[in-house]
Amino acid sequence: MINMQRVYFATGNPHKVEEAKLILRDYNVELMHLNTQRVEIQSSDLVEIAVYSLNQIVKDFKQPVFVEDTGLFINSLNGFPGPFSSYVFKTLGNKGIIKLMKGEADRNALFKTVIAFKESDRDQIKIFIGETLGLISEEIRGVGWGYDPLFIPLEGDGRTYAEMSLEEKNLLSHRFKALKSLGDYLRKV
Ligand code: IMP
């Protein structure tokens, strides 16, 4: 039997863990959930947010570990909510985004995930990025977490992430692409 490599994902979000477990299994990575509530700095840069969070965690955790920060960047709103996606989801929610976008012809958006990974406390932080282009739907479609009911990936068939199965989302999502880069990196080391 091939030995699985154990890597920890520090997050308070069980949906992210569920997605990542399935994706990383194909890379022989046994994903462990390190349940943490992140200290998130306000910054306009996802990389800066992820690196800050990881540095907080590795102070007392010495195993291979990563954090990720994700943002939804909407074209017609000049990239808003972007790095503020978590706060905007809590305050405006999907209904609020739909209201903001009412009558807007340009529905283009980008979902971006930044992973910050550290193998051990002696190593440099490695960054892996995944991006998926899409459209913001005009109404909530499907049952899913976060912005999934609003986001229609361009690589898909017109359904929102929330209308897809977990496996379907995992073939084209921003998170899949970032985790694929991490998986490829881990295969080589
Ligand atoms: P976070 O700061 O990385 O946890 O994510 C920012 C916001 O985007 C949160 O409200 C998440 O629920 C949401 N989010 C992150 N990833 C996804 C996703 O894959 N689908 C839908 N919403 C997401």
Side-chain angles (χ1 to χ4, degrees), residues 11 13 15-16 19 38 40 46 49 68-72 82-90 111-113 144-149 151 161 169 173-175:
T11 177
N13 185 330
H15 304 289
K16 290 185 178 181
E19 292 180 11
R38 276 186 309 163
E40 200 173 291
L46 294 185
I49 297 170
E68 65 120 277
D69 201 59
T70 293
L72 177 66
F84 312 108
S85 294
S86 178
Y87 178 72
V88 168
F89 187 77
K90 280 186 217 132
F111 238 134
K112 179 170 177 176
T113 288
W145 63 279
Y147 297 105
D148 273 4
F151 191 78
Y161 274 160
K169 180 184 175 189
S173 79
H174 48 293
R175 179 160 300 103

Side-chain angles (χ1 to χ4, degrees), residues 5-23:
Q5 186 173 359
R6 189 170 276 191
V7 173
Y8 288 80
F9 183 6
T11 177
N13 185 330
H15 304 289
K16 290 185 178 181
V17 177
E18 195 187 7
E19 292 180 11
K21 258 195 179 154
L22 270 186
I23 293 164

Side-chain angles (χ1 to χ4, degrees), residues 133-148:
L133 288 167
L135 300 171
I136 300 298
S137 76
E138 300 199 6
E139 70 277 311
I140 287 171
R141 282 176 24 200
V143 182
W145 63 279
Y147 297 105
D148 273 4

Side-chain angles (χ1 to χ4, degrees), residues 40-142:
E40 200 173 291
I41 47 158
Q42 284 300 351
S43 159
S44 57
D45 181 6
L46 294 185
V47 174
E48 208 182 324
I49 297 170
V51 166
Y52 181 86
S53 304
L54 184 63
N55 277 331
Q56 299 304 305
I57 284 151
V58 295
K59 276 187 197 158
D60 347 274
F61 193 76
K62 306 297 173 204
Q63 314 274 344
V65 59
F66 69 89
V67 301
E68 65 120 277
D69 201 59
T70 293
L72 177 66
F73 297 78
I74 301 177
N75 242 23
S76 64
L77 303 177
N78 294 325
F80 182 82
F84 312 108
S85 294
S86 178
Y87 178 72
V88 168
F89 187 77
K90 280 186 217 132
T91 50
L92 296 179
N94 287 335
K95 283 193 181 143
I97 298 280
I98 286 172
K99 234 186 203 168
L100 273 180
M101 301 272 298
K102 203 169 160 52
E104 180 55 63
D106 177 5
R107 319 284 310 175
N108 287 290
L110 173 79
F111 238 134
K112 179 170 177 176
T113 288
V114 171
I115 289 176
F117 170 72
K118 217 168 186 184
E119 191 109 45
S120 78
D121 51 345
R122 295 180 308 280
D123 288 317
Q124 299 262 352
I125 292 178
K126 296 264 176 344
I127 300 292
F128 303 95
I129 296 177
E131 296 183 343
T132 295
L133 288 167
L135 300 171
I136 300 298
S137 76
E138 300 199 6
E139 70 277 311
I140 287 171
R141 282 176 24 200

